[in-house]
Amino acid sequence: DSTAKRPSCVRCLHQKLHFERTYALGPYQGKLQEAVVRVKYPHEHALATSLGRLLASKISLSQSFCQTNTVVVPIPTNWLRRLVRGVNTPDYIAAPVGRNWHLPVFSDLLHCCRKVNKQSSLSPRDRLRNIRNAFRVSKSYNIGGTEVILVDDVMTTGATVNEAARVLSASGASRITVLVLARAA
């Protein structure tokens, strides 16, 4: 939980964060790390869905959100990476979160509008540059005043979720909370 007024992460102290809180099942290590790596493959969508259910049951956020003005949004991937990989893991994680909390899941609200390099292979500074302006909000949605629960598989530097949150905030989202399976150091 990063609900503190000031971020406790040294990297985050000098970065403007566009989301309010972050929740994770645990650190990106051991069995959770193994599971997160496995869910990136299409034949493991059942595991991703199970981890999404576990995330929704362990994190009791649903009580703090207005049910009528909150949506669950998975972090999108570029169409080419989705085509090659055959899956967008955050979609499978977000679906049970929405079901568990009786919230709509808008998988098409946020789009990755250009090819980005794999974040895991980049330095923290390069991750910020790599993901900048990579997302856009679909014009078919009016998210003014909407609370967004942004879902991804793993958060390392936070560059990806922060960029997605920046775009959502610029489009009128009132509050953004991030849910991830694991946090990497």
Side-chain angles (χ1 to χ4, degrees):
D1 176 7
S2 63
T3 58
K5 293 287 183 203
R6 254 188 96 141
S8 57
C9 171
V10 174
R11 283 186 295 224
C12 300
L13 288 174
H14 304 291
Q15 183 180 353
K16 179 172 175 36
L17 298 178
H18 298 278
F19 53 92
E20 188 175 300
R21 302 179 279 193
T22 302
Y23 294 93
L25 281 178
Y28 186 65
Q29 58 190 20
K31 294 292 184 191
L32 184 56
Q33 180 178 0
E34 290 174 26
V36 169
V37 170
R38 282 181 49 199
V39 300
K40 293 182 182 288
Y41 298 97
H43 63 279
E44 294 288 359
H45 68 272
L47 176 59
T49 300
S50 295
L51 288 170
R53 278 196 304 269
L54 180 62
L55 182 62
S57 68
K58 294 292 183 189
I59 313 293
S60 58
L61 280 181
S62 59
Q63 303 305 319
S64 66
F65 285 91
C66 172
Q67 297 287 322
T68 59
N69 205 25
T70 302
V71 298
V72 178
V73 178
I75 289 286
T77 194
N78 176 268
W79 69 270
L80 182 58
R81 182 165 291 148
R82 183 181 284 211
L83 182 66
V84 169
R85 189 177 274 171
V87 67
N88 185 44
T89 303
D91 287 339
Y92 290 107
I93 300 165
V97 170
R99 275 194 305 276
N100 187 288
W101 295 346
H102 309 289
L103 297 172
V105 177
F106 290 169
S107 294
D108 60 344
L109 184 142
L110 196 60
H111 296 277
C112 185
C113 55
R114 65 174 178 80
K115 186 177 182 295
V116 294
N117 295 319
K118 275 184 74 172
Q119 291 285 81
S120 61
S121 64
L122 302 173
S123 70
R125 178 175 284 162
D126 288 339
R127 289 176 189 218
L128 292 171
R129 274 190 235 123
N130 182 50
I131 204 71
R132 185 74 178 164
N133 297 318
F135 300 114
R136 67 175 167 76
V137 172
S138 173
K139 292 184 184 342
S140 61
Y141 287 95
N142 175 5
I143 61 167
T146 302
E147 297 181 34
V148 176
I149 299 171
L150 197 55
V151 178
D152 204 358
D153 53 358
V154 65
M155 180 175 162
T156 306
T157 63
T160 300
V161 293
N162 199 44
E163 179 62 14
R166 183 187 70 78
V167 171
L168 290 164
S169 291
S171 293
S174 64
R175 178 168 80 162
I176 299 163
T177 296
V178 175
L179 294 185
V180 292
L181 296 177
R183 285 286 309 260

